[in-house]
Amino acid sequence: MRTCYAGQLSADRLDQVVTLFGWVHRRRDHGGVIFIDLRDREGLAQIVCDPDRAEVFGVAERVRNEFCIKIVGKVRRRPEGTVNPNLRSGEVEVLCQELEILNPSVTPPFQLDDENLSETTRLTHRVLDLRRPQMQRNLTLRYRVAMEVRKYLDALGFIDVETPMLTKSTPEGARDYLVPSRVNPGQFFALPQSPQLFKQLLMVSGLDRYYQITKCFRDEDLRADRQPEFTQIDCETSFLSEIEIREIFEDMIRTVFRHAIGVELPKTFPTMPYSEAMRLYGSDKPDLRVRLQFTDLTEVMKDVDFKVFAAAANAQGGRVVGLRVPGGAEMTRSEIDSYTQFVGIYGAKGLAYIKVNDASKGREGLQSPIVKNLHDKAIDAILSLSGAASGDLIFFGADREKVVNDAIGALRTKIGHSEFGRKNGLFEDGWRPLWVVDFPMFEYDEEGARWVACHHPFTAPKDGHEEYLETDPGRCLAKAYDMVLNGWEIGGGSVRIHREQIQSKVFRALKIGPEEAQVKFGFLLDALQYGAPPHGGIAFGLDRIVTMMTGAESIRDVIAFPKTQRAQCLLTQAPSSVDEKQLRELHIRLRAPEAAKT
């Protein structure tokens, strides 16, 4: 029986005989005395094997890194000058009396303390990677966060209810992962993108307050903050207003951060309308630590000679913005060129700029190839609206609104996080939460020539906006809200439609007829007829929250067995082919790649 974890050993156990289990992190032979750093999930303890105990010493000579061992020994203080203040067990060591090799190890493919491992190596040998102290801490923190969520919601009467993993394919959102049904040939289940419809059904069922920490699945292109399967803290409640829902879950996040990592978030999270977030930052998840904002110049540029600006300013759906960078005039041409290449990733065709060498001289104090194509009124407006001062630099974005928002929004964040941004006070470290509210209900799909739901078709319109559903869907705002933290959307939700007449108007706006609605959502629409209560909810990304808490670069560092950006598991080699018998049982036949293209 283990006395305690190796990493929890302390001076409280001086002169006690302890039994420890773990792995050999490092073995050191110091001229006849062998030291073993014993590692378990809580940390390290130093084991001393003295040659006076011949049997123990003989075993110690055979152990190597990653051997799994058991030791029995007496706790004593480390000699003066050898205390390690970085370890909880750093004041003591264990004089080994018994040493047993429980299982030897082949030579590991890498040292666990190697900080320069490639992600491919780590994911291929994930079992060993998970032994590393940082990964152990990450997964332990993930557990603590989940427990804090459960404790908080349990205290407020929320009930943990499981919903199906095999469900109906949804017509909105990302691609579904499909699962063929053997007993229903030619038909498919879908893995849930979220439990959205089921949690609404639970509200109609009268459960009132539901939550679930559950897996969700989306077949989409991956990035650092996305996985094909991810974990969602899913919540729904009845009879509460939008503000009351936000208050509950704002306090939940504050409580989780306080108890899990000892961070005090603000007592009240600021609230910003979606329109303002896009106007100032070009993003619905702005990083408020970056102290840069857009200056909208669309009206200013409509009559300038610079065609790039004028064309965008006069085009329907076009936008021209400036991004003032205090102190940016010191940037070199190579730095500006690198930023030009960067915005190209987001579809920008270039990156115009003006260096403000002397603001008091107006046009004469500016340095830029575009100045000659701007009239005095436009130049005065740029300097006045942006608040530019001598030594500043102004970057410009001019294109379709989405391209400008994406490109200059990303540029704003990149500059703020850069060494230049930190040196010049453009970045303020800390935790900056934000509620973004009043999202549009619909966006227009030019290709399909129809309105589509920005969130999902069951999101309720803001009070008084119901009339726009049939007259002007583009003006209709939703009772939708996102929680943003340091530039990451960590949670999002909405108040749902619970009245049939409003739901019908939304479907008409989306050009979804009664028959199509019944086929796609019939089970929910039928349930809403039985006295459905007002209800709403929110879902948080557990992976994202823990990633932010740990400071990791990717959510793959807080998931035990993640997929690569190609949605592959390098450890198990999934996905993989299956034999012909399995396919026949599922009534599936594979086409050759050439045939599949035709």
Side-chain angles (χ1 to χ4, degrees):
M1 178 71 72
R2 174 168 33 204
T3 305
C4 67
Y5 283 104
Q8 293 176 338
L9 202 63
S10 70
D12 294 342
R13 294 189 180 272
L14 277 175
D15 299 324
Q16 293 183 19
V17 174
V18 298
T19 301
L20 304 176
F21 295 87
W23 288 265
V24 177
H25 187 66
R26 190 176 292 104
R27 172 188 172 277
R28 293 167 283 139
D29 191 336
H30 285 198
V33 177
I34 294 177
F35 293 88
I36 295 173
D37 292 335
L38 183 69
R39 186 192 70 245
D40 58 24
R41 76 176 200 190
E42 298 297 328
L44 299 173
Q46 180 168 282
I47 313 301
V48 182
C49 300
D50 197 293
D52 291 344
R53 296 179 179 271
E55 185 176 347
V56 167
F57 195 79
V59 177
E61 287 183 311
R62 302 203 311 271
V63 302
R64 294 294 183 268
N65 287 5
E66 299 312 311
F67 276 35
C68 183
I69 64 173
K70 168 188 175 181
I71 76 103
V72 178
K74 189 174 183 178
V75 181
R76 69 184 188 186
R77 287 195 183 277
R78 291 196 187 193
E80 187 175 347
T82 64
V83 170
N84 186 344
N86 297 320
L87 297 179
R88 180 175 175 180
S89 64
E91 290 184 75
V92 299
E93 61 188 15
V94 178
L95 180 61
C96 190
Q97 298 171 348
E98 298 176 27
L99 173 58
E100 179 182 353
I101 297 174
L102 300 175
N103 211 341
S105 169
V106 297
T107 302
F110 55 83
Q111 294 291 329
L112 268 63
D113 53 5
D114 187 346
E115 298 294 331
N116 298 310
L117 295 173
S118 71
E119 189 172 58
T120 298
T121 298
R122 291 178 55 207
L123 294 181
T124 301
H125 303 282
R126 189 61 163 184
V127 174
L128 291 177
D129 185 47
L130 290 176
R131 288 185 184 178
R132 298 192 306 133
Q134 182 59 55
M135 294 302 297
Q136 299 263 316
R137 288 193 295 269
N138 288 356
L139 294 185
T140 300
L141 177 60
R142 183 186 177 104
Y143 158 77
R144 288 205 303 269
V145 169
M147 286 302 299
E148 291 299 334
V149 167
R150 293 186 184 280
K151 287 190 289 185
Y152 179 88
L153 293 175
D154 181 69
L156 291 182
F158 284 79
I159 299 171
D160 184 354
V161 182
E162 294 180 353
T163 53
M165 283 295 168
L166 297 176
T167 184
K168 183 181 176 69
S169 180
T170 57
E172 307 290 338
R175 294 185 189 90
D176 288 324
Y177 276 102
L178 299 178
V179 180
S181 171
R182 180 184 59 81
V183 296
N184 297 284
Q187 296 185 316
F188 295 81
F189 294 106
L191 301 180
Q193 295 187 30
S194 82
Q196 177 62 48
L197 300 181
F198 286 107
K199 66 181 179 182
Q200 290 190 247
L201 293 174
L202 289 172
M203 294 303 101
V204 182
S205 301
L207 283 176
D208 194 78
R209 292 190 171 193
Y210 140 95
Y211 85 97
Q212 186 181 186
I213 300 179
T214 185
K215 285 287 187 186
C216 301
F217 306 85
R218 291 179 186 170
D219 185 5
E220 59 185 350
D221 294 335
L222 306 182
R223 297 197 300 262
D225 60 345
R226 287 183 180 174
Q227 281 281 289
E229 52 180 326
F230 56 96
T231 304
Q232 190 164 288
I233 305 168
D234 199 52
C235 309
E236 196 82 1
T237 183
S238 298
F239 308 114
L240 294 181
S241 68
E242 175 186 345
I243 292 176
E244 290 170 325
I245 293 171
R246 294 209 318 258
E247 286 175 345
I248 285 177
F249 293 103
E250 177 180 315
D251 186 56
M252 183 187 85
I253 293 300
R254 258 195 306 270
T255 301
V256 169
F257 269 73
R258 180 186 306 120
H259 293 166
I261 61 173
V263 165
E264 287 292 339
L265 295 178
K267 291 184 178 179
T268 302
F269 293 2
T271 301
M272 181 181 295
Y274 169 88
S275 58
E276 184 177 358
M278 300 306 291
R279 179 178 66 85
L280 294 177
Y281 307 109
S283 170
D284 58 4
K285 47 181 183 296
D287 187 345
L288 297 185
R289 297 173 300 173
V290 177
R291 302 170 69 178
L292 298 173
Q293 294 183 351
F294 286 10
T295 300
D296 195 288
L297 299 169
T298 307
E299 291 299 319
V300 172
M301 298 300 175
K302 286 191 172 181
D303 62 347
V304 298
D305 292 334
F306 191 39
K307 291 184 179 180
V308 173
F309 286 3
N314 287 288
Q316 183 176 1
R319 189 180 190 192
V320 182
V321 302
L323 182 71
R324 173 196 165 214
V325 182
E330 70 180 55
M331 285 187 187
T332 65
R333 183 55 191 262
S334 63
E335 289 176 306
I336 293 174
D337 288 344
S338 71
Y339 286 135
T340 302
Q341 287 184 323
F342 174 74
V343 297
I345 298 172
Y346 299 88
K349 300 178 183 67
L351 184 63
Y353 69 92
I354 292 177
K355 286 188 176 183
V356 185
N357 296 325
D358 188 341
S360 66
K361 293 183 178 180
R363 176 187 297 273
E364 302 306 316
L366 306 181
Q367 178 185 343
S368 170
I370 70 169
V371 169
K372 62 180 181 292
N373 296 314
L374 302 176
H375 51 62
D376 289 343
K377 185 178 177 181
I379 288 175
D380 290 344
I382 291 169
L383 297 177
S384 174
L385 293 173
S386 68
S390 299
D392 292 351
L393 179 144
I394 304 171
F395 284 117
F396 296 89
D399 208 309
R400 289 180 293 109
E401 185 174 17
K402 184 179 186 324
V403 172
V404 170
N405 290 341
D406 290 349
I408 308 303
L411 177 65
R412 168 187 173 270
T413 302
K414 186 173 181 64
I415 292 173
H417 283 257
S418 69
E419 184 179 347
F420 170 87
R422 292 173 184 268
K423 181 183 70 174
N424 286 273
L426 307 183
F427 182 88
E428 184 179 359
D429 210 355
W431 297 95
R432 296 295 301 276
L434 171 72
W435 283 108
V436 178
V437 300
D438 296 350
F439 283 82
M441 274 201 70
F442 309 103
E443 58 184 351
Y444 195 72
D445 176 14
E446 297 285 353
E447 187 175 330
R450 59 188 286 263
W451 292 100
V452 295
C454 289
H455 190 44
H456 56 65
F458 308 106
T459 300
K462 289 190 73 68
D463 296 339
H465 285 228
E466 296 90 347
E467 62 185 85
Y468 302 140
L469 290 171
E470 295 182 304
T471 61
D472 191 357
R475 290 183 63 185
C476 192
L477 300 182
K479 291 182 179 178
Y481 35 83
D482 281 357
M483 184 184 290
V484 177
L485 183 61
N486 291 3
W488 286 40
E489 176 200 330
I490 62 171
S494 67
V495 173
R496 325 300 184 188
I497 297 170
H498 67 285
R499 290 196 177 98
E500 190 277 332
Q501 60 268 36
I502 301 298
Q503 189 65 72
S504 295
K505 287 184 178 182
V506 170
F507 282 154
R508 284 197 292 273
L510 297 171
K511 294 185 178 179
I512 297 176
E515 291 185 4
E516 182 183 0
Q518 193 63 34
V519 169
K520 292 179 176 179
F521 313 111
F523 59 96
L524 176 64
L525 299 177
D526 292 344
L528 291 177
Q529 299 179 67
Y530 295 101
H535 59 283
I538 193 168
F540 291 93
L542 177 63
D543 310 303
R544 290 188 179 186
I545 291 173
V546 180
T547 301
M548 298 190 74
M549 288 178 166
T550 61
E553 294 184 1
S554 164
I555 64 172
R556 291 187 287 276
D557 283 341
V558 301
I559 299 172
F561 302 105
K563 308 293 189 293
T564 67
Q565 289 189 340
R566 290 180 57 82
Q568 295 172 316
C569 175
L570 300 183
L571 176 68
T572 64
Q573 298 298 304
S576 61
S577 59
V578 297
D579 62 42
E580 186 64 28
K581 179 183 177 184
Q582 288 176 282
L583 293 176
R584 284 199 305 270
E585 289 175 340
L586 294 170
H587 309 280
I588 289 176
R589 178 182 297 165
L590 297 181
R591 291 191 292 173
E594 294 76 16
K597 294 177 184 178
T598 61

